[in-house]
Amino acid sequence: MQYKPHDYQKLATAFIGEHPAAALLLGMGLGKTVITLTAIQDLLFDSFEAHRVLVIAPLRVARDTWPAEQTKWNHLRQLRLAVAVGTERERRAALNSGADVVVVNRENVDWLITRSGIKWQWDMVVIDELSSFKNHRAKRHAALMKIRPQVKRIVGLTGTPASNGLMDLWAEFRLLDMGERLGRYISRYRDRWFDPDKRNGMQVFTYKPKPGAEERIYQAISDITLSMRTSDYLTLPPLTITTTEATMSGKERKVYDLLAAEMVVELGDEVIDAANAAVLAGKLTQLASGAIYTEAGDPIVVHDRKLDTLEDLVESANGNPVLVAYWWQHDLQRIRQRFPGARQLKTSEDISAWNAGEIQLGLIHPASAGHGLNLQQGGSILIWYSLTWSLELYQQTNARLYRQGQAKPVTITHIATKNTIDERILAALESKNMTQAALIDAVATTLKGETK
């Protein structure tokens, strides 16, 4: 296919070429993969400022999206790209292939750097979904920091850089500039721009930005950051986001309320208890979806209210394909029991079948299918059967359908059980989105390169 880049894509490609360390905060569907591959090709074969490139991405994005984009566009055919996923033997073969670009899944970054014994040979690194490196204590982050001085050029790609607040940014930008802008130490970053918020005596649980800190943080990273919102550059079909309530019976309600109040409830011969608030939140989320796990890991079904609601929504789709996002394994099992023809989207073959219109009801888990997959050709209806607290996974999953190339109006529906934790999750997602939107707005760049 012939690549005819939009002006914003030309700008983003040039930005990568002009900045040895670059953060591209690109809205979903703007084509960050082809933008980056085009910049890589220019750096490899035109300016000769890069020699070998390592791309780090979520597993399915590494396996499916990057090679698909490289073969899709005519101008990228000269790139030699290898995918280092699968068995250790397959990964080693790809990593030692001498390919211009090697794509590795992020779970194997620590293995590659600290245990594989393979000599480091990449002078440019691209981190697809930079937000997955927001935890500076994670092995993948520590391993990448270990070889960071050997990397001459680095690019971070994400649409959700601060999905859980501004504290996320420190680790992400430390990888890019080795601490030049936000500091080398998290403690100093906190002391400089944050005040303690929720605490218990000397133990601080959360921090809040000091007055004016948000603007100063945005300014500190603005010189290496290019931000673009999808709504500014693409005309997408209409998007409708709704919530459909499921209502428990009085008996079912008592089970939920007792667990919420006492942190323990008896279900038949089983006693379900929550050791702390975090565990309680998880168990209440399960109950809102209709089932809850015992200590042995066996699900106990309490109600089918969400299944009934889902059945009504699928019927109202009038034969159009429906994509359903679930969170708990018992959700998946029970949906499959109610809808025997439903198919989980896990493999490349599943994704191809969905996009070919061969799947009427597709099932995806946000944590495994939330990033980078192009599913817009297969349908335009997404139903959240169970919800996630993660703004990043929520936004990324929605963007599997609502993205460039979608030809139909998109409908996203949440199934929320009335008067349960589902309502709090939706409110939390909305609240976090305010911080996310503030960051994007602060460093959003027009085509003229002006900072808004």
PDB file of all heavy atoms in Angstrom, residues 100-120:
ATOM      1  N   ASP A 100      17.613  -5.090  10.713  1.00  0.00           N
ATOM      2  CA  ASP A 100      17.678  -3.660  11.012  1.00  0.00           C
ATOM      3  C   ASP A 100      16.865  -3.334  12.253  1.00  0.00           C
ATOM      4  O   ASP A 100      17.275  -2.523  13.082  1.00  0.00           O
ATOM      5  CB  ASP A 100      17.119  -2.841   9.831  1.00  0.00           C
ATOM      6  CG  ASP A 100      17.824  -3.133   8.528  1.00  0.00           C
ATOM      7  OD1 ASP A 100      19.070  -3.128   8.527  1.00  0.00           O
ATOM      8  OD2 ASP A 100      17.137  -3.370   7.522  1.00  0.00           O
ATOM      9  N   VAL A 101      15.703  -3.965  12.378  1.00  0.00           N
ATOM     10  CA  VAL A 101      14.790  -3.714  13.492  1.00  0.00           C
ATOM     11  C   VAL A 101      14.409  -5.053  14.112  1.00  0.00           C
ATOM     12  O   VAL A 101      13.967  -5.958  13.409  1.00  0.00           O
ATOM     13  CB  VAL A 101      13.514  -2.986  13.023  1.00  0.00           C
ATOM     14  CG1 VAL A 101      12.594  -2.726  14.210  1.00  0.00           C
ATOM     15  CG2 VAL A 101      13.859  -1.684  12.315  1.00  0.00           C
ATOM     16  N   VAL A 102      14.598  -5.169  15.406  1.00  0.00           N
ATOM     17  CA  VAL A 102      14.157  -6.350  16.140  1.00  0.00           C
ATOM     18  C   VAL A 102      13.095  -5.912  17.143  1.00  0.00           C
ATOM     19  O   VAL A 102      13.294  -4.950  17.882  1.00  0.00           O
ATOM     20  CB  VAL A 102      15.315  -7.041  16.876  1.00  0.00           C
ATOM     21  CG1 VAL A 102      14.796  -8.214  17.701  1.00  0.00           C
ATOM     22  CG2 VAL A 102      16.365  -7.525  15.889  1.00  0.00           C
ATOM     23  N   VAL A 103      11.975  -6.608  17.143  1.00  0.00           N
ATOM     24  CA  VAL A 103      10.880  -6.292  18.054  1.00  0.00           C
ATOM     25  C   VAL A 103      10.811  -7.375  19.120  1.00  0.00           C
ATOM     26  O   VAL A 103      10.711  -8.561  18.806  1.00  0.00           O
ATOM     27  CB  VAL A 103       9.535  -6.213  17.296  1.00  0.00           C
ATOM     28  CG1 VAL A 103       8.455  -5.672  18.226  1.00  0.00           C
ATOM     29  CG2 VAL A 103       9.659  -5.341  16.054  1.00  0.00           C
ATOM     30  N   VAL A 104      10.862  -6.951  20.380  1.00  0.00           N
ATOM     31  CA  VAL A 104      10.825  -7.893  21.498  1.00  0.00           C
ATOM     32  C   VAL A 104       9.672  -7.514  22.415  1.00  0.00           C
ATOM     33  O   VAL A 104       9.356  -6.325  22.555  1.00  0.00           O
ATOM     34  CB  VAL A 104      12.172  -7.892  22.267  1.00  0.00           C
ATOM     35  CG1 VAL A 104      12.436  -6.538  22.907  1.00  0.00           C
ATOM     36  CG2 VAL A 104      12.220  -8.997  23.302  1.00  0.00           C
ATOM     37  N   ASN A 105       9.031  -8.505  23.015  1.00  0.00           N
ATOM     38  CA  ASN A 105       7.976  -8.174  23.964  1.00  0.00           C
ATOM     39  C   ASN A 105       8.593  -7.735  25.281  1.00  0.00           C
ATOM     40  O   ASN A 105       9.675  -8.184  25.678  1.00  0.00           O
ATOM     41  CB  ASN A 105       7.019  -9.355  24.175  1.00  0.00           C
ATOM     42  CG  ASN A 105       7.713 -10.605  24.648  1.00  0.00           C
ATOM     43  OD1 ASN A 105       8.664 -11.064  24.015  1.00  0.00           O
ATOM     44  ND2 ASN A 105       7.242 -11.177  25.746  1.00  0.00           N
ATOM     45  N   ARG A 106       7.912  -6.837  25.958  1.00  0.00           N
ATOM     46  CA  ARG A 106       8.483  -6.172  27.133  1.00  0.00           C
ATOM     47  C   ARG A 106       8.778  -7.139  28.274  1.00  0.00           C
ATOM     48  O   ARG A 106       9.659  -6.878  29.102  1.00  0.00           O
ATOM     49  CB  ARG A 106       7.540  -5.075  27.604  1.00  0.00           C
ATOM     50  CG  ARG A 106       6.157  -5.558  27.999  1.00  0.00           C
ATOM     51  CD  ARG A 106       5.155  -4.418  28.104  1.00  0.00           C
ATOM     52  NE  ARG A 106       3.830  -4.898  28.468  1.00  0.00           N
ATOM     53  CZ  ARG A 106       2.729  -4.165  28.362  1.00  0.00           C
ATOM     54  NH1 ARG A 106       2.800  -2.933  27.883  1.00  0.00           N
ATOM     55  NH2 ARG A 106       1.553  -4.651  28.722  1.00  0.00           N
ATOM     56  N   GLU A 107       8.064  -8.276  28.330  1.00  0.00           N
ATOM     57  CA  GLU A 107       8.318  -9.258  29.389  1.00  0.00           C
ATOM     58  C   GLU A 107       9.713  -9.869  29.284  1.00  0.00           C
ATOM     59  O   GLU A 107      10.212 -10.426  30.263  1.00  0.00           O
ATOM     60  CB  GLU A 107       7.267 -10.367  29.343  1.00  0.00           C
ATOM     61  CG  GLU A 107       5.863  -9.919  29.703  1.00  0.00           C
ATOM     62  CD  GLU A 107       5.115  -9.259  28.543  1.00  0.00           C
ATOM     63  OE1 GLU A 107       5.669  -9.207  27.418  1.00  0.00           O
ATOM     64  OE2 GLU A 107       3.985  -8.800  28.759  1.00  0.00           O
ATOM     65  N   ASN A 108      10.330  -9.773  28.102  1.00  0.00           N
ATOM     66  CA  ASN A 108      11.653 -10.386  27.913  1.00  0.00           C
ATOM     67  C   ASN A 108      12.798  -9.373  27.909  1.00  0.00           C
ATOM     68  O   ASN A 108      13.929  -9.726  27.573  1.00  0.00           O
ATOM     69  CB  ASN A 108      11.667 -11.176  26.600  1.00  0.00           C
ATOM     70  CG  ASN A 108      11.034 -12.551  26.760  1.00  0.00           C
ATOM     71  OD1 ASN A 108      11.334 -13.275  27.697  1.00  0.00           O
ATOM     72  ND2 ASN A 108      10.144 -12.891  25.847  1.00  0.00           N
ATOM     73  N   VAL A 109      12.522  -8.139  28.296  1.00  0.00           N
ATOM     74  CA  VAL A 109      13.587  -7.132  28.346  1.00  0.00           C
ATOM     75  C   VAL A 109      14.644  -7.500  29.376  1.00  0.00           C
ATOM     76  O   VAL A 109      15.852  -7.438  29.106  1.00  0.00           O
ATOM     77  CB  VAL A 109      12.989  -5.742  28.650  1.00  0.00           C
ATOM     78  CG1 VAL A 109      14.096  -4.732  28.952  1.00  0.00           C
ATOM     79  CG2 VAL A 109      12.153  -5.257  27.477  1.00  0.00           C
ATOM     80  N   ASP A 110      14.203  -7.884  30.576  1.00  0.00           N
ATOM     81  CA  ASP A 110      15.163  -8.259  31.619  1.00  0.00           C
ATOM     82  C   ASP A 110      15.974  -9.474  31.194  1.00  0.00           C
ATOM     83  O   ASP A 110      17.192  -9.522  31.385  1.00  0.00           O
ATOM     84  CB  ASP A 110      14.415  -8.535  32.924  1.00  0.00           C
ATOM     85  CG  ASP A 110      15.342  -8.978  34.039  1.00  0.00           C
ATOM     86  OD1 ASP A 110      16.231  -8.189  34.410  1.00  0.00           O
ATOM     87  OD2 ASP A 110      15.197 -10.120  34.521  1.00  0.00           O
ATOM     88  N   TRP A 111      15.311 -10.471  30.596  1.00  0.00           N
ATOM     89  CA  TRP A 111      16.031 -11.653  30.110  1.00  0.00           C
ATOM     90  C   TRP A 111      17.080 -11.265  29.082  1.00  0.00           C
ATOM     91  O   TRP A 111      18.235 -11.726  29.150  1.00  0.00           O
ATOM     92  CB  TRP A 111      15.042 -12.639  29.498  1.00  0.00           C
ATOM     93  CG  TRP A 111      15.697 -13.726  28.690  1.00  0.00           C
ATOM     94  CD1 TRP A 111      16.265 -14.878  29.166  1.00  0.00           C
ATOM     95  CD2 TRP A 111      15.901 -13.741  27.268  1.00  0.00           C
ATOM     96  NE1 TRP A 111      16.804 -15.612  28.137  1.00  0.00           N
ATOM     97  CE2 TRP A 111      16.591 -14.938  26.954  1.00  0.00           C
ATOM     98  CE3 TRP A 111      15.571 -12.860  26.243  1.00  0.00           C
ATOM     99  CZ2 TRP A 111      16.959 -15.265  25.647  1.00  0.00           C
ATOM    100  CZ3 TRP A 111      15.919 -13.190  24.935  1.00  0.00           C
ATOM    101  CH2 TRP A 111      16.607 -14.384  24.652  1.00  0.00           C
ATOM    102  N   LEU A 112      16.717 -10.429  28.128  1.00  0.00           N
ATOM    103  CA  LEU A 112      17.644 -10.044  27.066  1.00  0.00           C
ATOM    104  C   LEU A 112      18.878  -9.366  27.627  1.00  0.00           C
ATOM    105  O   LEU A 112      20.010  -9.698  27.241  1.00  0.00           O
ATOM    106  CB  LEU A 112      16.932  -9.094  26.086  1.00  0.00           C
ATOM    107  CG  LEU A 112      17.826  -8.371  25.066  1.00  0.00           C
ATOM    108  CD1 LEU A 112      18.533  -9.369  24.167  1.00  0.00           C
ATOM    109  CD2 LEU A 112      17.001  -7.378  24.250  1.00  0.00           C
ATOM    110  N   ILE A 113      18.690  -8.451  28.563  1.00  0.00           N
ATOM    111  CA  ILE A 113      19.796  -7.619  29.025  1.00  0.00           C
ATOM    112  C   ILE A 113      20.627  -8.293  30.109  1.00  0.00           C
ATOM    113  O   ILE A 113      21.856  -8.178  30.117  1.00  0.00           O
ATOM    114  CB  ILE A 113      19.251  -6.265  29.517  1.00  0.00           C
ATOM    115  CG1 ILE A 113      18.616  -5.508  28.346  1.00  0.00           C
ATOM    116  CG2 ILE A 113      20.352  -5.420  30.154  1.00  0.00           C
ATOM    117  CD1 ILE A 113      17.857  -4.263  28.745  1.00  0.00           C
ATOM    118  N   THR A 114      19.978  -9.021  31.012  1.00  0.00           N
ATOM    119  CA  THR A 114      20.705  -9.534  32.177  1.00  0.00           C
ATOM    120  C   THR A 114      21.002 -11.020  32.142  1.00  0.00           C
ATOM    121  O   THR A 114      21.891 -11.480  32.865  1.00  0.00           O
ATOM    122  CB  THR A 114      19.917  -9.228  33.477  1.00  0.00           C
ATOM    123  OG1 THR A 114      18.696  -9.979  33.479  1.00  0.00           O
ATOM    124  CG2 THR A 114      19.606  -7.744  33.581  1.00  0.00           C
ATOM    125  N   ARG A 115      20.268 -11.807  31.307  1.00  0.00           N
ATOM    126  CA  ARG A 115      20.445 -13.256  31.400  1.00  0.00           C
ATOM    127  C   ARG A 115      20.717 -13.958  30.074  1.00  0.00           C
ATOM    128  O   ARG A 115      21.183 -15.103  30.076  1.00  0.00           O
ATOM    129  CB  ARG A 115      19.199 -13.892  32.051  1.00  0.00           C
ATOM    130  CG  ARG A 115      18.867 -13.363  33.413  1.00  0.00           C
ATOM    131  CD  ARG A 115      17.874 -14.244  34.140  1.00  0.00           C
ATOM    132  NE  ARG A 115      16.659 -14.479  33.384  1.00  0.00           N
ATOM    133  CZ  ARG A 115      15.628 -13.650  33.354  1.00  0.00           C
ATOM    134  NH1 ARG A 115      15.685 -12.513  34.026  1.00  0.00           N
ATOM    135  NH2 ARG A 115      14.540 -13.935  32.661  1.00  0.00           N
ATOM    136  N   SER A 116      20.450 -13.336  28.963  1.00  0.00           N
ATOM    137  CA  SER A 116      20.551 -14.044  27.686  1.00  0.00           C
ATOM    138  C   SER A 116      21.992 -14.271  27.241  1.00  0.00           C
ATOM    139  O   SER A 116      22.285 -15.203  26.490  1.00  0.00           O
ATOM    140  CB  SER A 116      19.816 -13.266  26.594  1.00  0.00           C
ATOM    141  OG  SER A 116      20.515 -12.065  26.271  1.00  0.00           O
ATOM    142  N   GLY A 117      22.889 -13.393  27.680  1.00  0.00           N
ATOM    143  CA  GLY A 117      24.276 -13.490  27.223  1.00  0.00           C
ATOM    144  C   GLY A 117      24.490 -12.911  25.825  1.00  0.00           C
ATOM    145  O   GLY A 117      25.604 -12.954  25.294  1.00  0.00           O
ATOM    146  N   ILE A 118      23.448 -12.368  25.216  1.00  0.00           N
ATOM    147  CA  ILE A 118      23.562 -11.764  23.880  1.00  0.00           C
ATOM    148  C   ILE A 118      24.169 -10.372  24.013  1.00  0.00           C
ATOM    149  O   ILE A 118      23.713  -9.565  24.819  1.00  0.00           O
ATOM    150  CB  ILE A 118      22.176 -11.685  23.212  1.00  0.00           C
ATOM    151  CG1 ILE A 118      21.616 -13.091  22.992  1.00  0.00           C
ATOM    152  CG2 ILE A 118      22.244 -10.917  21.893  1.00  0.00           C
ATOM    153  CD1 ILE A 118      20.191 -13.115  22.468  1.00  0.00           C
ATOM    154  N   LYS A 119      25.185 -10.102  23.234  1.00  0.00           N
ATOM    155  CA  LYS A 119      25.854  -8.813  23.301  1.00  0.00           C
ATOM    156  C   LYS A 119      24.911  -7.708  22.838  1.00  0.00           C
ATOM    157  O   LYS A 119      24.220  -7.839  21.839  1.00  0.00           O
ATOM    158  CB  LYS A 119      27.112  -8.827  22.422  1.00  0.00           C
ATOM    159  CG  LYS A 119      27.920  -7.542  22.481  1.00  0.00           C
ATOM    160  CD  LYS A 119      29.159  -7.627  21.613  1.00  0.00           C
ATOM    161  CE  LYS A 119      29.961  -6.339  21.672  1.00  0.00           C
ATOM    162  NZ  LYS A 119      31.165  -6.400  20.794  1.00  0.00           N
ATOM    163  N   TRP A 120      24.907  -6.607  23.594  1.00  0.00           N
ATOM    164  CA  TRP A 120      24.044  -5.487  23.226  1.00  0.00           C
ATOM    165  C   TRP A 120      24.535  -4.872  21.913  1.00  0.00           C
ATOM    166  O   TRP A 120      25.692  -4.518  21.780  1.00  0.00           O
ATOM    167  CB  TRP A 120      24.033  -4.439  24.330  1.00  0.00           C
ATOM    168  CG  TRP A 120      23.066  -3.328  24.024  1.00  0.00           C
ATOM    169  CD1 TRP A 120      23.349  -2.115  23.505  1.00  0.00           C
ATOM    170  CD2 TRP A 120      21.652  -3.372  24.197  1.00  0.00           C
ATOM    171  NE1 TRP A 120      22.202  -1.391  23.337  1.00  0.00           N
ATOM    172  CE2 TRP A 120      21.130  -2.132  23.746  1.00  0.00           C
ATOM    173  CE3 TRP A 120      20.761  -4.329  24.680  1.00  0.00           C
ATOM    174  CZ2 TRP A 120      19.774  -1.829  23.785  1.00  0.00           C
ATOM    175  CZ3 TRP A 120      19.415  -4.021  24.709  1.00  0.00           C
ATOM    176  CH2 TRP A 120      18.928  -2.790  24.270  1.00  0.00           C
TER     177      TRP A 120
END
